Amino acid sequence: MTNLPPPAEELRLLDAELRQLDLRRAVLLRRREWLIHTLRAAAAPPSAQGVGTTPVGGRPGTGVSGAARRPEATAPGVQNVLLVLGGVLLTVAAIAFTLVSWGHMGIAGRALVLGALTVAALGAPVVLLRRGLRSTAEAVAALGTILTVLDAYALHEVAFAGTDGPGYTAAGSAVLAAVWAVYGVVAGAAVPPPAPAAERGPAAGSVRAGLRHPVPLAVATAHLPLLLWALAVGAGPLTVTAVLLATAAGGTAVALRAASVPVRVVAVVGALGMGVVGVLSAGWLCWSASDAGTAARAAALLVVAAVVALVAGRSVRDPEAGTGAALAAGLCLVAGAGGVLRAALPGEWTVPGCVACALALLAADRTPLSRPLRRGLVRASAGVQCCAVLWSVPLVAGTVLGPMTQGARPWSGAPGDVRDAVFTDVPWPPYASTGPLVLAAVAAVVLVAGRNTARGAAARVVALVLGWAAVITVPVVLQLPYPAGLVGQGVVVVAVLGVAEWSGRGENRPSPLTLTALLLALVTSVDLAFLALASQSATICVLVSLTVLFGAACRGRVAAPFAAPAALGHATALACAIGASAGWRPHVTALLVLVVPAVAALVASRTSGSRATVPVEVAGAAAGLLALALAVTDPPMLAVVLSLCGVLTAGTALRPERRAAGYAAAALFLLATWVRLTAWDVTTPEAYTLPVTGPALIVGALRRRRDTAVSCWTAYGAGLAVTLVPSLLAAWDDRHWLRPLLLGVAALAVTLAGARHRLQAPLVVGGGVLALVTLHELAPYLVQVVGALPRWAPPALAGLVLLALGATYEQRLRDARRLREALGRLR
């Protein structure tokens, strides 16, 4: 050993090691005692536990020895319970004597009794410690400390009855803390140190000298005198705050210097409690001060708290504790400086001043401070910057979301400046004029701090977002003219798209920075489009510019999946704006909007297989739906729009990977036919259903020819039902003879075709429709026949049918089974 620690440090290490050995020895002794009891119970002869005997700890006649049972309470536990109970009873008795029986004795008797009890209770633990009865000594010493409190109360009642209560309490707590501290030290020093382990022998226990509770109790009580004194003299808030911080500083010093763990724990808890309350009070005084002088005095207290925290952070061994102390110190420094700036400068510069102070904390990273302290100060700076960014959120949110209110009153007239257009229905945030400066400063710090680090990519993304927020708020803050604001927003879109193109160059997939830039470009373009709604000419110019800009950005392989749908979206809005400016009705504007799906289909065919294909098709489909919504008020035009959409969809279905779009094209053509028929006031259902049945049957026949495993229900069922079922429902209420005749002939033809080709679906559907049509046509005659029969004939006929069915029930079941099997054999 060439590097020996100082004697005090070595003594502390030895004491800690001895405490661990004592604890381990106690555990091993309890385990040894239990093992001995278990072995004795197992070795006891069965004859000694016969019927009629009463073993120790057992019941008569059970034959179960009490030694085999595990004790429900350990000896140390029983000892502690008895000692605590005895101490509580003595304490209660002492309190009752002091409060109740005090007046029955003279002054000498009172002093003699309490003094004798206190001296005996404080002196007995020393003797008990020398005999090794540590738990009993702790209980008696606890009684002695309580008696000292009663002595202080009695002294106030006899000699200092006229003094002020808080003042006497402050003095008494100081005296008691000193007495308890001296008593704990003296009691520990009066006990001789334990003998070495070699002299005690292997079976001897290690005896720890001294009492545990007096010194921690003294430390806890020492936190009260200054605060009670300040309250007693009627000190102001600043003085009380200073007292709290001074008490916290004293507790910190004790925590750093104390060797006993209980003393350190009590000191740390007291220092943290007093320090937190004092810092909060100083911060409130600093930020609520009406002048710079008052704020400076409160800020001085925050500086003192920061110094104490830094000293504590430098002295502790735990790196996390040191980082936390430095973090608290940095926040105190920034809070103090910010409070002084708030009182000395206009309100707009308070947050920038706090940011400047936070940036000054970053200089600590270049100082010779320990790494935990530097890390804590940097984290404090980062926390202040995050709070500053959150402070600017209302300004950014209002700038981005405010233009959307123009959608409720489009082309109402160009406002005087950008702020009037953005914050028309949104309140202007207070002290927000320096928001862009704060955002730009934080963005620069993040960009510089993340350079050449593992988090460089994330830092660039955050810096880009903050810089974008700073730039888009500048026109609003400066109240630029309305045209200048539009130009500024357009420049932002171009710049962000340029960042996306620069960051995505040479990449196969977009990086986080590229994705963020593209998203910001889309958000800014939408915001610009809404902002331009205040003026008709501005709307058309902006939408044309955005369409061309995003169309040009589609040349980039990475930006194309985002820029192409954005260009189509702005082109759709441009078509609507052109129609509205020309005074066209919505259903006429729908024809102009259909140009966008046509362009989208053409672009998708040229970029088939790339990542931009699906976004382009989705954007084109959305534009087509908008055209349908615009034309829905005019059925003839709606039929035209549906037909054109069907043509575009059919053209898309020509591509091999989009064959499924043919179903959508067929549906659109069918809907166009139905809408056209509705516009012509055609009410015959066959005009709507036959255009479906014919193509459906043809497609079904072709599919069955290609794949013989396809069921006839899949091929022909839907096509036949589309016409036969609506016609049957119409014929049921039709009083003329032509529709039922034609429907019956068609059903008969379908049935015969099903029978000829042995197809189940035509046979069942056609036969069912033919039967129902026949029943409908014969229904009047059946009603006449039933009306001509006597009243008893229908019940009698029903009874005969039931008897016949009952007599031939089994045969009928066999026939029904055969019919089902015959139908099942049909294809």
Side-chain angles (χ1 to χ4, degrees), residues 28 53 93 194 227 300 338 456 507 753:
L28 295 177
T53 62
L227 180 60
E507 296 180 352

Side-chain angles (χ1 to χ4, degrees), residues 521-580:
L522 294 176
V523 171
T524 310
S525 65
V526 173
D527 185 62
L528 177 59
F530 276 105
L531 185 62
L533 283 177
S535 172
Q536 178 177 343
S537 58
T539 301
I540 296 177
C541 292
V542 165
L543 291 176
V544 170
S545 303
L546 291 177
T547 303
V548 173
L549 178 61
F550 280 98
C554 293
R555 294 184 300 174
R557 182 173 55 180
V558 176
F562 302 90
L568 294 174
H570 291 303
T572 304
L574 176 61
C576 295
I578 291 175

Side-chain angles (χ1 to χ4, degrees), residues 371-382:
R371 182 177 179 82
L373 294 183
R374 287 186 278 117
R375 188 189 305 122
L377 292 175
V378 170
R379 289 181 181 179
S381 176

Side-chain angles (χ1 to χ4, degrees), residues 426-681:
V426 180
W428 174 254
Y431 307 121
S433 58
T434 55
L437 179 61
V438 171
L439 292 171
V442 176
V445 170
V446 171
L447 188 60
V448 173
R451 185 179 53 186
N452 299 328
T453 62
R455 300 179 181 178
R460 286 192 292 270
V461 170
V462 174
L464 176 62
V465 174
L466 294 176
W468 167 81
V471 172
I472 65 169
T473 54
V474 168
V476 180
V477 169
L478 298 180
Q479 293 182 309
L480 296 180
Y482 180 69
L486 295 178
V487 173
Q489 294 281 57
V491 171
V492 172
V493 177
V494 174
V496 179
L497 283 177
V499 172
E501 180 67 23
W502 169 78
S503 61
R505 186 176 302 168
E507 296 180 352
N508 293 326
R509 289 186 173 274
S511 63
L513 182 62
T514 305
L515 288 175
T516 304
L518 291 172
L519 180 60
L520 294 178
L522 294 176
V523 171
T524 310
S525 65
V526 173
D527 185 62
L528 177 59
F530 276 105
L531 185 62
L533 283 177
S535 172
Q536 178 177 343
S537 58
T539 301
I540 296 177
C541 292
V542 165
L543 291 176
V544 170
S545 303
L546 291 177
T547 303
V548 173
L549 178 61
F550 280 98
C554 293
R555 294 184 300 174
R557 182 173 55 180
V558 176
F562 302 90
L568 294 174
H570 291 303
T572 304
L574 176 61
C576 295
I578 291 175
S581 63
W584 296 347
R585 301 185 64 181
H587 62 271
V588 180
T589 306
L591 295 176
L592 184 59
V593 173
L594 282 179
V595 176
V596 177
V599 175
L602 180 61
V603 172
S605 64
R606 297 291 299 274
T607 61
S608 181
S610 66
R611 289 197 297 266
T613 303
V614 174
V616 167
E617 291 175 343
V618 171
L625 291 176
L626 177 60
L628 293 176
L630 292 174
V632 74
T633 57
D634 189 79
M637 186 60 69
L638 179 61
V640 175
V641 173
L642 285 169
S643 300
L644 294 176
C645 290
V647 171
L648 296 176
T649 308
T652 302
L654 295 177
R655 292 156 50 195
E657 71 276 10
R658 294 291 184 265
R659 297 297 188 193
Y663 297 103
L668 289 171
F669 285 131
L670 180 61
L671 288 174
T673 304
W674 287 355
V675 172
R676 185 70 263 182
L677 292 173
T678 303
W680 286 337
D681 295 330

Side-chain angles (χ1 to χ4, degrees), residues 151-356:
D151 289 338
Y153 170 75
L155 185 63
H156 176 268
E157 293 296 323
V158 173
F160 301 100
T163 58
D164 182 29
Y168 181 80
T169 305
S173 60
V175 173
L176 288 176
V179 169
W180 290 340
V182 172
Y183 173 68
V185 174
V186 171
V191 180
E199 298 179 7
R200 293 197 305 265
S206 176
V207 180
R208 180 190 173 191
L211 298 173
R212 291 181 179 177
H213 79 278
V215 178
L217 184 61
V219 173
T221 308
H223 287 81
L224 300 177
L226 284 179
L227 180 60
L228 294 176
W229 168 80
L231 296 177
V233 299
L238 193 65
T239 304
V240 173
T241 302
V243 166
L244 289 172
L245 293 178
T247 305
T252 303
V254 173
L256 295 176
R257 301 289 297 177
S260 175
V261 175
V263 174
R264 286 204 303 269
V265 170
V266 172
V268 168
V269 172
L272 286 178
M274 292 289 184
V276 169
V277 176
V279 167
L280 293 178
S281 176
W284 179 80
L285 292 174
C286 185
W287 281 80
S288 63
S290 58
D291 57 281
T294 305
R297 286 190 290 272
L301 296 180
L302 290 174
V303 172
V304 171
V307 172
V308 172
L310 286 176
V311 172
R314 189 187 63 176
S315 303
V316 296
R317 297 180 180 272
D318 187 6
E320 294 299 327
T323 302
L327 173 63
L331 294 178
C332 289
L333 292 175
V334 175
V340 175
L341 292 175
R342 188 202 66 82
L345 299 176
E348 291 82 1
W349 294 99
T350 301
V351 176
C354 292
V355 173

